[in-house]
Amino acid sequence: MKELLIGKLNWQALPHEWFTLGGAAALLGLGLFLIILITRLKRWKWLWKEWLTTVDPKKIGIMYFIVAGFMLLRGGLDAIMIWLQQALSSGASHGYLSSDHFQQIFTAHGNIMVFFVAMGFVFGLINFIVPLQIGARDLASPFLNTLGFWLYVGGVLMVNMFFLLGGKYAATGWLAVAPLSSTQFSPGVGVDYMIWALQISGVGTTLGAINFIMTILKMRAPGMKLKHIPLFTWGSLCSMIMAVTVFPLLTATLFLLFLDRYAGMHFFTTTGGGNAMMYTNLIWMWGHPEVYVLILPSFGVFSEVVSVFSRKRISSYTSAVLGMIGVSTLALSVWLHHFFTMGAGADVNAFFGLMTMIIAVPTTVLVLTWIATLYKGRIRFTTPMLWFLGFVGTFAVGGMTGVILAQPPADFQLHNSLFLVAHFHTMVIGGVLWGIFAGLTYWFPKIAGFRLNERIGRYAFWCWLIGFWMAFGPLYILGLMGATRRLDHYTNSSWQPFFIVALLGGLVIMAGVVLQIVQIIASFMQRRQLADTTGDPWDGRTLEWSTPSPAPFYNFATIPKVATRDAFWEAKQLGLPERKYEDIHMPRNTASGIYIAALAFLAGFGFVWHITWLIVAAMLGIVVCVIARTFNEDTEYVLPAQEVEKLEHERAQKALARHQDIHTDTFEEMGLREFVRVAIKWVLDVIRNKRWRTL
Amino acid sequence: MADTMTTEMTHEEAANNRAMFGFWVYLMTDLLMFGVLFAVFAVLHNNTAGGSSGRELFKLKLALIETFLLLTSSFACGLAMIAARQGNKNQVLAWFTVTFVLGVAFLSLELTEFGQLIHDGNTPSSSAFLSSFFTLVGAHGLHITLGLLWMVIVMAYVLARGLSSSMVRKLTMLSLYWHFLDIVWIFIFTIVYLRAFI
Ligand code: HEM
Ligand SMILES: [Cu+2]
């Protein structure tokens, strides 16, 4: 009976160790805090109508940023725990974590950072920026977009569920390699949590990618040919085409792993004729391209940033585009470099080693294109530009270490060493993450309506750069000294100083993250002075800067006509055309996405714990929701031209008033000291005047 | 929404055009998933773990009948689409009913085959070969099931709302999907069934 009702779920599984209890407390605390806050502010209805059910890609983008931001903190905490353990656990000391905990932590860290931080930010940026850059009002399928977002949130919840309901997280490493991930060697539910977290969010990714491809290829402003589309959009297009090509492989592979575990089949098992090597092949056929799915949008961001802040057009648009296309094509044929050591033989290894080294060619072309853009430019050293400069140097090192790893003989020594760990963090942090930071800073005015504080932004950048090299420089050295990855203990105590420096580097990075949070708060406090009243704070070149900031919900009052590259720049030189308003078709909000994703989450949960009735009910629910959605033909409304005109007029007046306001102020950006002073004053004020009652 | 091609296309036409394109991309992703299952079958088809092989288990005649049923249903689906373009509602319904019935016949034969195998103790967990066989053929069967469900819904739709342009687009998607499953089946028939007897 119990088995029927709650499957394998039981009381013993509930959190009872400090590390799951802490997580549960943090999650519940955060949830409770939000619920109380929203209830007190009476904002539930607003939240539901304006945000949760929205189909506006800009709002969905912002929600991606928020969730991914929280996950960055969550995954960052994991990182600090890993570093701390390794700094302590030398010789006689065994640190503060058991091997089992340690393994769960680095596995969760990897999954969260790749799927829920990097992918979340990438999808957020693409959502927000791509429609604006191509002069579209929306995505091809607004519904698929909310569905994709909520599936991503479902994955986020699933990956954290073990805190609340216990069991354990997987202890297999972020790719759940077989046969370690089989029930024979990983009997608990940890791997199942991972499978369903990735499966649910992965389907969201595929749907999202299809949607963006449709949007970019079919919804560009009139006159915008492929050879005109901005480079961030090119990067996104390449990235999404790769995603569409490889995410089905991930889905299928995880599905097979699931069948092994759930139905006792023999795909990757050691018994019954299974073939574990096949898992390694399949997962890396997705896994290698995946890292390029992440980095291509960042390549796009940097292309925009370099060009705008050098006040020049990109030195060679063609080579930038060809570079991106080259990278994404080649990236499909190098996966075997992740397992040179597994006995594919010299010829196969040589082929994949060569292919891998060839990838460095288009990548270098891209880097040279950016550097050539700097040449003779009138460079402004804003924070996005700093992120770019930090990236170029760091990325070059990552590329070179990649080429070292790509030589099978060297890789036999370095495979799965800390050298490898340092290589890919150089790429993922220095490339993907800093690209996202550059993009977020650059487009922040468009997103929020005001610029970010540059002073504190610079501090944050330096913390990240210095912290990064302190944390990962030692890992390169340790790797060469023979330290392997994923060690929770080592006997060679001459390694310890390096691990301690790495930990300190981690703390410096953490300071950088705190400064970024401070930066956002400080900018918010000065939002009136930092306001972007023109919509074009950087003297931009692409269409997103031609519409006011923050962008209106219909993006453009009149759809721009395009005849060249850098369309907005050209328009500024020629003078902007006069506006003629027209009726606008807008999609209606819908809650179907949330419902379907919630049901998918429940089905996944049922699979994790073998609760058959829940699986069946949730699946049926999904079918019903989908049918209901397809029967609904009333998914759009028309915003009349007069209404658009009125909205535009009001906005223009407000902006004018603001504009005059700012010019009468003499304004200086808040520094750290000033921030602390104001913050303390505010807290004291709240306490003294008992203002929390009204909060 | 921004209609790139507003000059030539109405809002609705543009939306239909995009949706069709998106559906093609979706079909490609589905094809890739089948690709993985085929590759896995190719790797594992000899790993019978001491159990029976395909040659001992499969009945070629049954698979041939299944192929025939599915091909015919695809043909009927094609006729339904011709009727849809001519705006002939009754014919659309009639041909889709034929498609549906043939699809159900196919599916029941497949389920009978599965049932027989399992009954004889050749289950998906008996060997890697059978795991990959059941998964590949089963995934196709699952797609067919969803297609049949979709067909019922679409027919109800046509009955209630007639043949608008967005309706014809939905039917076109369904027929694409159905032909797609047909092609996948041809590969299954050749690679899984025929091959076992060569
Ligand atoms: C010049 C370009 C690059 C080359 C030649 C290269 C080469 C390699 C090689 C040979 C390995 C496997 C080493 C081993 O396991 O022993 C590797 C691992 C890895 N690389 Fe790169 N790489 C390049 C760029 C990138 C980029 C751009 C990213 C990410 C954005 C990246 C992320 C990774 C990751 C995540 C791993 C290892 C994951 C794991 O084992 O868990 N690489 N790289
Ligand atoms: Cu790789």
Side-chain angles (χ1 to χ4, degrees):
Chain A
M1 184 61 209
K2 182 172 153 287
E3 184 80 357
L4 260 181
L5 257 181
I6 55 170
K8 293 188 174 171
L9 207 56
N10 58 46
W11 290 115
Q12 284 89 342
L14 282 185
H16 52 270
E17 292 160 302
W18 65 269
F19 124 103
T20 32
L21 273 178
L27 264 182
L28 288 177
L30 182 69
L32 216 62
F33 171 75
L34 286 178
I35 289 174
I36 292 175
L37 192 73
I38 298 167
T39 312
R40 290 219 64 168
L41 296 174
K42 298 207 174 62
R43 283 301 183 116
W44 281 110
K45 204 167 158 202
W46 167 84
L47 190 68
W48 179 258
K49 285 183 82 170
E50 295 288 317
W51 287 90
L52 304 186
T53 57
T54 186
V55 290
D56 182 345
K58 296 182 290 304
K59 285 186 173 167
I60 291 179
I62 291 172
M63 292 196 287
Y64 267 115
F65 297 147
I66 293 173
V67 179
F70 271 104
M71 283 297 105
L72 178 63
L73 300 180
R74 158 83 174 76
L77 205 64
D78 283 341
I80 296 285
M81 288 170 81
I82 297 169
W83 270 314
L84 186 61
Q85 170 72 10
Q86 292 187 321
L88 295 174
S89 181
S90 157
S93 159
H94 280 261
Y96 71 109
L97 289 172
S98 68
S99 295
D100 186 43
H101 278 168
F102 185 78
Q103 287 160 6
Q104 291 179 52
I105 293 173
F106 69 64
T107 305
H109 168 77
N111 284 148
I112 287 175
M113 287 304 197
V114 171
F115 290 90
F116 302 117
V117 178
M119 287 301 268
F121 275 125
V122 163
F123 268 80
L125 268 186
I126 298 182
N127 253 296
F128 203 103
I129 301 305
V130 162
L132 286 168
Q133 276 201 331
I134 60 173
R137 292 212 169 96
D138 207 329
L139 296 184
S141 168
F143 166 66
L144 281 188
N145 198 28
T146 81
L147 177 59
F149 169 72
W150 287 108
L151 287 171
Y152 159 79
V153 174
V156 166
L157 284 181
M158 190 62 85
V159 90
N160 287 299
M161 267 324 267
F162 72 105
F163 280 141
L164 293 183
L165 279 162
K168 288 177 170 175
Y169 197 66
T172 53
W174 72 290
L175 287 178
V177 283
L180 179 57
S181 53
S182 66
T183 39
Q184 189 185 356
F185 302 109
S186 299
V189 292
V191 176
D192 303 301
Y193 273 135
M194 183 206 281
I195 291 177
W196 287 101
L198 305 196
Q199 206 64 307
I200 293 171
S201 62
V203 171
T205 302
T206 309
L207 295 179
I210 295 178
N211 202 359
F212 289 124
I213 295 174
M214 286 195 268
T215 307
I216 298 175
L217 293 184
K218 293 273 177 186
M219 291 178 68
R220 297 189 305 277
M224 187 183 272
K225 305 220 174 75
L226 275 183
K227 64 178 184 192
H228 297 148
I229 65 181
L231 288 168
F232 175 71
T233 302
W234 259 117
S236 306
L237 180 62
C238 292
S239 160
M240 291 296 109
I241 291 179
M242 287 186 80
V244 145
T245 321
V246 297
F247 267 79
L249 307 189
L250 176 71
T251 306
T253 308
L254 289 176
F255 182 65
L256 299 181
L257 181 62
F258 155 75
L259 288 177
D260 269 3
R261 292 180 59 86
Y262 197 85
M265 295 200 193
H266 295 286
F267 290 105
F268 312 123
T269 55
T270 48
T271 54
N275 185 338
M277 224 14 247
M278 194 168 60
Y279 184 84
T280 310
N281 257 298
L282 289 172
I283 203 77
W284 279 117
M285 275 175 177
W286 159 81
H288 180 83
E290 162 67 5
V291 301
Y292 284 88
V293 168
L294 294 176
I295 202 145
L296 279 159
S298 286
F299 286 170
V301 172
F302 287 129
S303 309
E304 305 279 350
V305 163
V306 166
S307 150
V308 166
F309 293 110
S310 306
R311 281 219 183 79
K312 266 177 77 184
R313 57 191 334 196
I314 190 93
S315 61
S316 166
Y317 178 87
T318 319
S319 62
V321 172
L322 288 182
M324 291 193 217
I325 295 178
V327 163
S328 34
T329 326
L330 287 172
L332 295 172
S333 56
V334 300
W335 75 90
L336 194 129
H337 66 216
H338 292 275
F339 44 98
F340 282 141
T341 52
M342 293 201 198
D347 296 345
V348 176
N349 277 359
F351 171 78
F352 280 93
L354 272 174
M355 287 308 287
T356 307
M357 284 184 257
I358 293 175
I359 273 212
V361 175
T363 318
T364 311
V365 168
L366 276 165
V367 173
L368 292 179
T369 310
W370 297 321
I371 293 181
T373 310
L374 294 178
Y375 179 68
K376 284 196 173 165
R378 279 174 291 152
I379 300 175
R380 288 174 284 172
F381 287 98
T382 54
T383 34
M385 200 61 177
L386 289 183
W387 288 116
F388 167 73
L389 294 172
F391 151 81
V392 171
T394 306
F395 192 74
V397 175
M400 284 186 274
T401 54
V403 173
I404 294 174
L405 288 168
Q407 331 220 2
D411 190 60
F412 271 67
Q413 184 59 32
L414 294 170
H415 179 56
N416 277 354
S417 71
L418 286 179
F419 189 89
L420 159 79
V421 173
H423 155 71
F424 74 73
H425 281 88
T426 311
M427 292 314 212
V428 178
I429 295 178
V432 179
L433 204 60
W434 293 356
I436 288 163
F437 290 161
L440 283 177
T441 324
Y442 172 58
W443 282 303
F444 199 85
K446 195 53 60 189
I447 298 169
F450 52 92
R451 276 177 290 123
L452 279 176
N453 182 313
E454 287 276 312
R455 251 165 104 175
I456 305 178
R458 276 197 293 276
Y459 304 151
F461 164 76
W462 285 109
C463 281
W464 266 99
L465 185 71
I466 294 168
F468 174 81
W469 280 110
M470 272 174 73
F472 291 96
L475 261 54
Y476 277 118
I477 301 169
L478 280 168
L480 292 173
M481 288 162 73
T484 55
R485 75 196 288 189
R486 296 170 178 161
L487 287 176
D488 64 300
H489 177 75
Y490 44 92
T491 42
N492 185 346
S493 55
S494 68
W495 292 352
Q496 196 174 22
F498 292 94
F499 278 115
I500 292 175
V501 176
L503 169 66
L504 294 177
L507 294 176
V508 177
I509 293 181
M510 213 161 81
V513 174
V514 172
L515 283 171
Q516 285 176 304
I517 297 171
V518 168
Q519 180 194 21
I520 295 175
I521 300 173
S523 317
F524 181 77
M525 291 182 343
Q526 291 186 316
R527 64 189 174 283
R528 279 191 48 235
Q529 294 92 326
L530 289 168
D532 166 23
T533 50
T534 59
D536 181 22
W538 315 117
D539 201 3
R541 316 177 69 84
T542 38
L543 287 179
E544 74 269 29
W545 303 113
S546 71
T547 195
S549 300
F553 64 94
Y554 43 80
N555 281 3
F556 299 93
T558 47
I559 291 292
K561 296 221 175 355
V562 178
T564 54
R565 229 166 265 162
D566 287 347
F568 181 48
W569 182 266
E570 296 299 326
K572 280 192 284 191
Q573 313 306 317
L574 298 172
L576 296 169
E578 203 177 319
R579 307 189 137 188
K580 196 170 142 289
Y581 297 108
E582 56 190 1
D583 291 357
I584 297 178
H585 291 268
M586 294 300 297
R588 281 191 202 285
N589 287 358
T590 167
S592 307
I594 294 198
Y595 295 147
I596 295 175
L599 289 164
F601 173 83
L602 288 177
F605 189 75
F607 278 123
V608 172
W609 290 101
H610 297 243
I611 311 174
T612 313
W613 67 266
L614 184 62
I615 301 171
V616 175
M619 295 279 204
L620 282 178
I622 293 178
V623 172
V624 171
C625 281
V626 172
I627 294 176
R629 170 76 199 174
T630 60
F631 265 92
N632 183 358
E633 297 230 297
D634 180 29
T635 56
E636 287 191 356
Y637 67 95
V638 174
L639 192 68
Q642 302 102 295
E643 185 67 23
V644 182
E645 183 163 9
K646 206 178 105 212
L647 287 172
E648 285 292 301
H649 192 67
E650 279 167 14
R651 175 192 278 277
Q653 290 207 314
K654 248 192 231 151
L656 195 67
R658 279 257 191 86
H659 200 67
Q660 287 159 349
D661 214 33
I662 293 171
H663 279 269
T664 51
D665 276 352
T666 42
F667 158 65
E668 201 181 327
E669 280 188 337
M670 191 180 285
L672 263 189
R673 205 174 298 154
E674 173 74 0
F675 173 80
V676 173
R677 202 181 57 74
V678 177
I680 291 178
K681 204 170 127 227
W682 186 80
V683 172
L684 286 181
D685 182 49
V686 167
I687 296 175
R688 244 189 248 125
N689 301 325
K690 305 216 159 96
R691 277 213 304 175
W692 63 80
R693 295 203 181 156
T694 57
L695 267 184
Chain B
M1 260 170 281
D3 306 324
T4 321
M5 297 136 274
T6 15
T7 37
E8 309 102 54
M9 277 194 245
T10 67
H11 179 68
E12 188 178 334
E13 280 168 352
N16 282 342
N17 173 298
R18 281 197 296 273
M20 278 317 296
F21 174 66
F23 194 72
W24 271 107
V25 181
Y26 153 73
L27 282 183
M28 292 302 110
T29 65
D30 219 1
L31 188 64
L32 282 162
M33 280 195 269
F34 275 112
V36 171
L37 299 184
F38 275 112
V40 166
F41 180 82
V43 172
L44 297 179
H45 73 280
N46 282 327
N47 301 10
T48 52
S52 320
S53 70
R55 199 181 194 116
E56 290 148 16
L57 295 177
F58 300 150
K59 298 194 196 72
L60 200 54
K61 212 171 111 199
L62 190 75
L64 210 60
I65 299 174
E66 286 178 277
T67 311
F68 174 73
L69 287 173
L70 207 58
L71 283 179
T72 326
S73 93
S74 236
F75 182 66
C77 181
L79 293 179
M81 283 321 293
I82 294 178
R85 298 226 168 77
Q86 292 164 349
N88 190 334
K89 184 170 145 186
N90 289 339
Q91 267 199 30
V92 169
L93 288 172
W95 283 121
F96 266 123
T97 312
V98 176
T99 315
F100 181 83
V101 171
L102 290 168
V104 171
F106 167 86
L107 199 62
S108 25
L109 279 190
E110 183 161 278
L111 287 176
T112 325
E113 186 197 10
F114 279 13
Q116 188 63 42
L117 284 171
I118 292 172
H119 179 80
D120 297 343
N122 298 304
T123 69
S125 50
S126 303
S127 70
F129 155 63
L130 282 169
S131 299
S132 60
F133 164 75
F134 275 103
T135 306
L136 172 56
V137 182
H140 179 263
L142 190 67
H143 275 76
I144 292 278
T145 315
L146 291 177
L148 291 173
L149 185 68
W150 187 4
M151 217 174 283
V152 173
I153 296 163
V154 162
M155 288 199 304
Y157 229 147
V158 173
L159 209 56
R161 293 186 185 165
L163 290 169
S164 65
S165 79
S166 79
M167 196 59 235
V168 174
R169 186 205 79 213
K170 284 185 176 124
L171 293 177
T172 315
M173 283 181 175
L174 175 59
S175 80
L176 265 182
Y177 179 80
W178 204 250
H179 296 319
F180 164 75
L181 291 183
D182 210 20
I183 294 170
V184 173
W185 177 261
I186 305 271
F187 278 99
I188 292 182
F189 177 69
T190 345
I191 293 175
V192 176
Y193 291 97
L194 265 187
R195 238 201 65 105
F197 292 93
I198 297 171

